[in-house]
Amino acid sequence: MGAPAEQGVRIGLSAVVIALRDRKACVLTTPGEDGAAALPFGPFDPGRDRTFELALRAFVTAQTGFRLGFVEQLYTFGDLGRDSPRATPGPERRREVSVGYLALTADAADAPLAEARWTPVLDIFPWEDRRDGPPACLAPLIDDLATWAVDDPRRQARIETLFATTPAHRWNEGRVLDRYELLYEAGLVAEAARDQDLPPLPTASGRPMVSDHRRILATGLGRLRSKLKYRPVLFDLMPPTFTLSELQAAAEAITGLSLHKQNFRRGVERTGLVQPTGLLSAATGGRPAELFRVIDGDLATGEALGLPLPAQR
């Protein structure tokens, strides 16, 4: 007998909502199955919803209590062989296609609905946090990857390139999704075992998420890290006034890198995007620091520049 015919497609919408809390980059999550975190997710009803974006805004507010500001479409996820978001139950098993969106907010207050949480992004991707040097989880992951790649030069080359394991390679903070996909392929994240009905490995790293939500989040974090270099999107996460130390901490929280203080500040000044307010902040715990604000204007225009990311060597 041949394979059963496809019974249509269901479209779901997933939201990667990122904010800063206590100098940590956090993503808005809801409770998922087996204690795993989930992105806000909802189905698109073509008979009811006029656009994807309006449907997205409606269910994010319903699930979390938050109202989204600016959102941007990330990618459409529909690969076979991956556990799709809340797959259709029953015999029809409709193919699930998920459309991911990225949203940034400076409103990092507690989620209005109790079941929603702000989850630190680097708890989900701990190997991405290099602010204090290579993280503790990295060495065992590299060892496991090396075992997986034995006698396979192509796998070895991918590991060297993505994790910068040799002096010939430089860490590229934007390749979050590529690193997650490599770990998934090697079976080193919990989702890989789940999707293949295998027991989870004790070395599986990072906080798991339901379905393919960690893959969607990796896409969103990689997009945001890359955009920092050519668009002033960091200011979408900042309050109306901020110190330059707070701005640098925000950039470090997103990129997972330690940035050179003086080079970062000179780079910010060169962009011409901020100006002093004439006020001081006493919240630093030490000498009062000058408060800045974004210069009035449309940061979305082609004339706006990104912020420098001079990594501390």
Side-chain angles (χ1 to χ4, degrees), residues 2-298:
E6 288 287 344
Q7 299 297 316
V9 172
R10 186 174 76 159
I11 297 175
L13 306 173
S14 300
V16 176
V17 185
I18 292 181
L20 295 169
R21 285 173 63 93
D22 300 324
R23 296 198 172 195
K24 295 180 180 179
C26 296
V27 62
L28 191 61
T29 61
T30 59
E33 297 177 359
D34 300 324
L39 298 172
F41 174 86
F44 174 75
D45 183 349
R48 179 195 63 199
D49 299 320
R50 188 161 60 88
T51 68
F52 284 178
E53 185 174 320
L54 289 175
L56 179 91
R57 292 178 183 278
F59 75 70
V60 168
T61 300
Q63 292 178 18
T64 70
F66 273 95
R67 295 187 180 276
L68 296 181
F70 171 78
V71 298
E72 126 181 21
Q73 190 173 128
L74 279 174
Y75 193 74
T76 299
F77 304 84
D79 292 357
L80 280 173
R82 298 295 291 264
D83 185 18
S84 297
R86 301 179 189 175
T88 303
E92 67 274 11
R93 302 298 298 172
R94 283 188 291 172
R95 177 77 174 271
E96 184 89 26
V97 173
S98 180
V99 183
Y101 283 81
L102 174 65
L104 307 179
T105 178
D107 178 12
D110 290 339
L113 298 184
E115 62 269 24
R117 298 284 188 275
W118 287 108
T119 301
V121 171
L122 296 178
D123 286 358
I124 299 171
F125 304 110
W127 56 85
E128 295 289 336
D129 188 359
R130 301 173 69 89
R131 288 172 294 181
D132 296 318
C137 71
L138 190 58
L141 278 179
I142 296 301
D143 288 343
D144 289 337
L145 283 171
T147 300
W148 170 73
V150 165
D151 299 326
D152 190 327
R154 288 178 297 180
R155 288 181 175 181
Q156 294 168 2
R158 289 170 63 197
I159 296 168
E160 291 174 0
T161 299
L162 293 175
F163 285 91
T165 56
T166 70
H169 297 89
R170 185 180 179 88
W171 178 266
N172 183 337
E173 70 277 2
R175 300 191 69 176
V176 183
L177 177 61
D178 293 331
R179 282 187 286 272
Y180 173 72
E181 291 285 25
L182 181 65
L183 293 172
Y184 180 97
E185 186 179 337
L188 297 177
V189 290
E191 292 88 339
R194 178 206 63 198
D195 293 349
Q196 300 174 51
D197 293 323
L198 297 174
L201 292 175
T203 54
S205 185
R207 182 172 178 179
M209 300 187 76
V210 304
S211 186
D212 60 352
H213 288 198
R214 191 150 47 152
R215 186 185 186 206
I216 296 172
L217 177 56
T219 304
L221 180 60
R223 172 78 64 84
L224 178 57
R225 285 179 167 185
S226 297
K227 284 174 73 73
L228 287 184
K229 298 179 181 180
Y230 63 89
R231 304 297 300 167
V233 292
L234 190 62
F235 296 117
D236 291 331
L237 298 167
M238 302 302 295
T241 61
F242 46 84
T243 67
L244 293 184
S245 292
E246 290 170 339
L247 187 66
Q248 179 174 336
E252 292 176 336
I254 295 297
T255 63
L257 298 175
S258 175
L259 305 179
H260 190 283
K261 179 178 178 180
Q262 295 305 321
N263 288 347
F264 179 82
R265 294 190 175 202
R266 282 193 290 266
V268 170
E269 292 171 358
R270 283 197 297 269
T271 67
L273 295 176
V274 301
Q275 64 183 20
T277 64
L279 303 174
L280 298 177
S281 171
T284 58
R287 181 180 177 182
E290 189 169 20
L291 285 167
F292 290 76
R293 68 176 182 87
V294 179
I295 292 176
D296 292 335
D298 184 4

